[in-house]
Amino acid sequence: MSTQAAFVSSTTIPTSPGSTSQFELPALPYAYADLDPVIDAETMQLHHDKHHRAYVDGLNAALATFPEYRGATLEWLLQNRMALPSEIRTAVHNMGGGHYNHSLFWQSITPRGAPPGIGLQRSLDWAFGSFDQFQHAFESAALKQFGSGWVYLVATPTLNYGLEIVTLANQDTPLDIGRVGLLACDLWEHAYYLTYRNRRAGWLKAWWDVVDWGAAAERWDRARPCVTE
Ligand code: MN
């Protein structure tokens, strides 16, 4: 325990500018029904107002007993999870991870879906052969994910921010494996069950129609230390 305490006390905890002591459920940038028929309004409302809120509330409840971490950024908490007190480590992993993944999920979709721009398109071709092959690999990886979790398009810093597909169990995040999340697709049944029932493949096929490629490209540009294109 002394090692952990020393680590924490010598580490500056970065806080968000103007952050409150509590994490907040981000408002959706569209109405619940705007993604219908790909995502029905009831699923959107339950997913955001109940599921995502539960992660935010759970994270805040855990941190309430450790005020020294209140105000820390979510990224810092997730990346320094193993140095946190054991009493909150699991909650930060599960609840903090859930808050992180869902925040990225809402930013990965849009009522105004459009194909990727030329820069991202070229890089997808380079990494996966073609856009069709990328989509096939993404869906295939998602179908192989056993149980709940996520499929992500990520940028990998150790590969010069090249593109990869990863799957993550439960509420693990790309931060856990040193990746930058560009697109997040939720594979928990609560994300698709009302419309697609047990057909995860149907959810994945439909999901392409609401992907926000512009937001993915912006995240990728922000992640890279310099854009060489
Ligand atoms: Mn979810």
Side-chain angles (χ1 to χ4, degrees), residues 47 51 55 102 150 171 186 188 190-191:
H47 201 174
H51 291 279
Y55 291 115
H102 285 90
W150 295 81
Q171 296 300 353
D186 196 335
W188 288 60
H190 66 231

Side-chain angles (χ1 to χ4, degrees), residues 1 4 61-63 65-66 68-69 81 84-92:
M1 292 303 286
Q4 290 168 9
L63 294 176
T65 51
F66 287 85
E68 61 269 42
Y69 297 107
R81 192 176 78 229
L84 297 175
S86 59
E87 295 92 329
I88 58 172
R89 203 177 296 152
T90 300
V92 167

